[in-house]
Amino acid sequence: MSRTARLLDLIQILRRHRYPIQGRALAEELSISPRTLYRDIKTLQEQGAKIDGEPGVGYILRPGFMLPPLMFSEEEIEALVLGAKWVSKRTDHRLGAAGRNAIAKISAVLPQDLRETLDVPGLLIGPGDFVAAGDTELALIRQAIRKETKLTITYLTLKEQKSVRTIWPLALAFFDRVRVVVAWCELRQAFRHFRTDRILKLSPSNERYPKRRKVLLKEWRQVEGIPAP
């Protein structure tokens, strides 16, 4: 393994841990000596990585350190581009534009040989139905999810009845034919799923819901029997 690849692996290992990890464990995972590990950590710190810690205590990588895209492997680039292209074709226009912008930014900083991976891709997104309209509403839903604020919606149920609900939006799921809001419903006092094409009216609010979204998502996964990502 080259030293560059080893430094990249070290950064990735540190990113996986939220709490300090012992140098001995890092060295074992990388199959290097503790002395080599300490040199690698010093090198990364000199390059701007915010690694806190010391021998015998453990090390942790603080947020904010960005690796140059040149250090992406070919498969990592393929994964990023495939995901961005899926977003550009299967979500709303604003997210789609963001996906195309991301691809353009990646392409701008890649060396020529890797840029060909973007110009002549070997992984393609298959055809599918684009879910039209509702871009404004989707933007408001995404904003409420980020800010953890309540939404009031007028919803058309499967029985074709209108129902006014106050919901706590937790996530937005994109399927080929529908988009679904995962939310806590104050009316039903339970988790519910709302198709965005059946939301007739949406009113945003600045009122935060009382629990953190992370906690609610964990509870929703437990109720639905969905394993954590």
Side-chain angles (χ1 to χ4, degrees), residues 5 7 52 94 98 105 121 187 205 228:
L7 291 174
D52 294 340
R94 290 182 64 174
K105 289 179 179 179
L187 178 65
S205 166

Side-chain angles (χ1 to χ4, degrees), residues 10-91:
L10 176 55
I11 285 291
Q12 300 297 0
I13 293 170
L14 289 170
R15 277 180 169 161
R16 294 201 308 262
H17 292 81
R18 297 184 179 181
Y19 302 100
I21 177 174
Q22 292 289 327
R24 181 180 65 258
L26 286 169
E28 288 177 356
E29 187 164 351
L30 291 166
S31 299
I32 59 177
S33 68
R35 184 176 180 180
T36 300
L37 172 73
Y38 302 144
R39 285 202 304 264
D40 287 350
I41 287 177
K42 182 178 180 181
T43 297
L44 289 172
Q45 290 172 330
E46 291 172 349
Q47 293 178 0
K50 299 177 181 178
I51 301 175
D52 294 340
E54 58 187 50
V57 177
Y59 297 91
I60 186 170
L61 177 66
R62 299 299 178 188
F65 180 61
M66 301 297 291
L67 288 171
L70 300 181
M71 298 184 72
F72 286 135
S73 69
E74 288 186 357
E75 287 189 339
E76 288 170 339
I77 293 170
E78 287 181 335
L80 289 170
V81 173
L82 185 65
K85 285 185 175 180
W86 190 94
V87 167
S88 67
K89 292 176 179 289
R90 301 292 176 84
T91 61

Side-chain angles (χ1 to χ4, degrees), residues 17 31 38 48 60 74 104 121 124-125 146 149 161 164 176 190 193 227:
H17 292 81
S31 299
Y38 302 144
I60 186 170
E74 288 186 357
L124 306 175
I125 301 297
R146 288 193 297 268
T149 53
Q161 297 175 340
V164 178
D176 280 344
H193 305 120

Side-chain angles (χ1 to χ4, degrees), residues 41-219:
I41 287 177
K42 182 178 180 181
T43 297
L44 289 172
Q45 290 172 330
E46 291 172 349
Q47 293 178 0
K50 299 177 181 178
I51 301 175
D52 294 340
E54 58 187 50
V57 177
Y59 297 91
I60 186 170
L61 177 66
R62 299 299 178 188
F65 180 61
M66 301 297 291
L67 288 171
L70 300 181
M71 298 184 72
F72 286 135
S73 69
E74 288 186 357
E75 287 189 339
E76 288 170 339
I77 293 170
E78 287 181 335
L80 289 170
V81 173
L82 185 65
K85 285 185 175 180
W86 190 94
V87 167
S88 67
K89 292 176 179 289
R90 301 292 176 84
T91 61
D92 59 274
H93 293 295
R94 290 182 64 174
L95 271 185
R100 290 187 293 273
N101 288 340
I103 293 174
K105 289 179 179 179
I106 293 173
S107 178
V109 295
L110 289 176
Q112 182 59 38
D113 58 334
L114 292 179
R115 196 175 302 155
E116 292 179 0
T117 302
L118 306 186
D119 297 336
V120 188
L123 303 177
L124 306 175
I125 301 297
D129 296 332
F130 183 82
V131 185
D135 283 1
T136 301
E137 288 75 12
L138 288 178
L140 291 174
I141 292 170
R142 292 202 308 272
Q143 184 180 50
I145 290 172
R146 288 193 297 268
K147 293 185 175 181
E148 300 182 351
T149 53
K150 298 181 181 183
L151 290 173
T152 299
I153 63 173
T154 301
Y155 192 72
L156 186 64
T157 68
L158 295 178
K159 295 181 180 179
E160 305 301 320
Q161 297 175 340
K162 292 182 181 181
S163 176
V164 178
R165 313 282 186 96
T166 297
I167 64 172
W168 310 350
L170 310 178
L172 185 59
F174 290 84
F175 299 90
D176 280 344
R177 295 172 183 253
V178 296
R179 298 153 177 159
V180 177
V181 182
V182 178
W184 174 266
C185 176
E186 291 189 353
L187 178 65
R188 301 302 184 194
Q189 285 296 293
F191 293 109
R192 289 290 186 267
H193 305 120
F194 301 93
R195 285 176 44 168
T196 59
D197 59 325
R198 302 187 74 87
I199 296 177
L200 305 177
K201 185 179 179 181
L202 185 152
S203 299
S205 166
N206 291 324
E207 183 181 358
R208 293 177 62 92
Y209 39 81
K211 282 187 177 183
R212 295 305 306 269
R213 187 171 67 90
K214 179 179 179 180
V215 174
L216 289 166
L217 274 174
K218 183 178 180 180
E219 294 176 359

